[in-house]
Amino acid sequence: MAEVPALEIRGLTRRYGKVIAVEDLDLTVQVGDIYGFLGPNGAGKTTALRAALGLIRRDTGTVRLFGDDRLVGARSKVGAIIETPAFHSWMSGRENLLQAGQLSGLGGVALDREVDRVLERVELTERAQHKAGGYSLGMRQRLGIARALMGGPKLLVLDEPTNGLDPRGMREVRELVRSLALHDGITVLISSHLLAEVQAMCNRVGILQRGRLRAEGTVAELLSEGAGDGIVEVGALDMGALSAAVAGIEGVENLGAGAEGRLRLRCGELPLYALNAQLVGQGVQVSALVPARRNLEDVFMEVTR
Amino acid sequence: MTLAAVTRAEVYKLFSRSSSRAGLLMVVLLAALPPILVLAARLGMGVWLGPDQMFNGLPVSEYFSLPGSSAQVIALRIRDFFVLKALILLLAAQIFAGELQARTLREDVLRPVSRCSVLLAKWFALVAWIAAVSFLSWGASAGLGLVFFGWGDAWQGPILGLFAAVVGDAGFAAVALAASVLTRSVAATVAGVFFLAVLDYGLDWVLWLMKMAPMIPHEYGKLAGQVAEAAYPWMPFSAFALWRGFETGSWGWQGAITLMGMTALALVVAIGAFRRMDVP
Ligand SMILES: Nc1ncnc2c1ncn2[C@@H]1O[C@H](COP(=O)(O)OP(=O)(O)OP(=O)(O)O)[C@@H](O)[C@H]1O
Ligand SMILES: [Mg+2]
C-alpha cells in the first residue's frame, strides 16, 4: 500500500548569497516514521526544515505535506519547533498556548481543553500561569513542545528539541516522542546532534552535509553498511604482551585503545576463533574478545568526513 | 473566519502589552485632566475671593467652566498632540518588526493561517487600540465636563471629528505598519516614519509658501500659486488633518481620497513584502 508521505521534499535548493545552505535536497518522511535528521553544524538542517514549513523562500524545489503543496492549509496537520521556541514574555505560558490554539482555529471549551491536555503532556501544568519570560531554558523547550502539539498534529517537526535540557529532560523528551509516535500515531521528523538518542529513537536517518544528503536509510541499514570490516576489541591480562603479539600477526591492524582498556583491532578476513588461537599460541592470556558494534556515531563520522 | 480568529488573538496580545496599556492610560488621564483642573480652579477661586466677588455682573467663579461640549474638544486636541502618533508608531514597530526580531512572528507563521491574515489582523488590532484610546479619552473628558459643568452647546461637530480622527490614525497606523514590514527593524521603523512626517511637514510649508507666489510680479508666480492651491488638499498632511474639517463642518473630499488611497497602498505593499519575506 503506497500511502501519501507525511513530508516530501524534491529538489530543494536555498542559497544565502554565495552560501548554498541546501542543495538539491530530496527527502521523504513516510507516515509512521521517526526520522532522524543529522548533520554537522551549518549543514543546512534548520534551513531545510524552514523551507519545508514555508517559513523561508525556496530557490528551487517543491514541498508537499501529506500530498498537499498548499502549505498554509497543510500546516494544520503539522506542529513544529524551529531552533529555540520563542514566546511572548509578558504573557503566561498558558496564554501563549491559547494564542497558538486560536491561530489553529480552536475556540471556546475545546481550546481550553486542548491547552490543558498539552500542558499535562509536557508536565508544565503547575507553572502554566507564570509569565513565559521567567521560564528556564528547559521549561521553554517543554512549552515549545506543548505548543507544537496544540491542535493534534499528525506530523511533528522538531529541530534540536533537547537543546538545553537536563539529562532527565532529555530522557523525558525521548520518551514523549516515542509515545507520541507509538500511541498517538504521530509521524516525527527530528534533527539532533545526540546520536545515541537518535539511534535509540528513530527508525530512519538522513545525514546532511554542506546542504546535500550524504546518506539515508533505516538505522539497521546504515549500521550494517561496511560492518564487515571485522573490528574487534581484545582484552588481555598483560596488554603489553598482547600488543607485541598483534604486531606479529599477518593482516591484523592495531587501531589503538578501545573501550574499557581493550585494544581495537581490524582483522579483515581473519575469523575471531583464528585470531584467538594465534594469540593464545603466543602465550597471551586473552580475557575478552568483543566484535565492535558500529554505532551511529561511527557512521556519522565516516559520512561527514 | 480565520481572519476573525487571528484578529481576536492579535487584539488580546496588543492590549496585554505594557506599552499599549501605559499609553492608553496616559492619554485617557491627560484627557481627564482639564475638567478636573478647571473644577479645582473654580472651587479655589470661590474660597479665595468669596462667593460675592463679581466681574461684569457674574460671580468670578462662574468664568471657570468647561462643560461637556467644550471638554470633548479638548480631548480631541490632546488626542491630536504628537503623543498618540508616537505611540501608534511605537506599537506598529513592536508588533511586526519587534516580533520578527524576537522570533515570535515565526510562531504565528507556523500556524495554518495566511500571512495576509496575520498582517491584516495586526492592523485591525492597532485600529482597535486607536479606537479604544480615542473613545475612552473622549468619554473621560466629555463625561467629567458634563458632570461638573453641564452639557454646554454643540456636540455634533467634535463627535464627527472624533470618528474622522480614528479613521485618519488608522491610515497612519497602516503606513507605520508598512514601514515596520519594509524595514524589519524597530529603530528603522521609528526613524523612517519620523522622516516621512518631516517630509510631509516640509511639503506643507513649501506649498504654503507657493500659495503666496502670485504676489511675485512674474508670470510664473501666478502659475505656481495655482499649482499649490490645486495640490494642497490632495497632500498627505491634508489627509491626516481631515478630522479638523469634520469638526468644523467643512472637509475636503480630496483629502479623504488621499487618506483611503494611502491606507490601501500601505496595506497592499506591506502584505506583498511580508508574503515574500523570510521569517526565520
Ligand atoms: N539568514 C541567513 N543568512 C545567511 N546565511 C544563513 C542564514 N541562515 C543560514 N545560513 C547559512 O546556511 C547554512 C546552513 O545553516 P543551518 O542553520 O541550516 O544549519 P544547521 O544544519 O541547522 O546547523 P546547526 O546544527 O548548527 O543548527 C550555514 O552556512 C549558515 O551560515
Ligand atoms: Mg540548526
Side-chain angles (χ1 to χ4, degrees), chain A residues 14 84 90 95 99 104 147, chain B residues 9 12 16 106 111 278-279:
Chain A
R14 172 65 206 244
T84 315
W90 67 92
E95 284 173 310
Q99 287 272 319
S104 287
R147 180 166 57 191
Chain B
Y12 182 91
S16 67
R106 165 187 68 206
R111 295 279 140 194
D278 283 351
V279 183

Side-chain angles (χ1 to χ4, degrees), chain B residues 32-53:
Chain B
L33 213 53
I36 293 173
L37 285 180
V38 174
L39 181 69
R42 179 189 199 129
L43 296 177
M45 278 297 170
V47 172
W48 184 41
L49 297 174
D52 306 334
Q53 275 291 341

Side-chain angles (χ1 to χ4, degrees), chain A residues 16 19-22 39-48 50 83 159-160 191 193 208, chain B residues 278 280:
Chain A
Y16 288 103
V19 177
I20 303 179
V22 176
N41 291 131
K45 303 180 294 295
T46 302
T47 305
R50 282 185 179 129
E83 291 190 334
D159 187 15
E160 299 188 38
S191 102
H193 292 297
L208 202 65
Chain B
D278 283 351

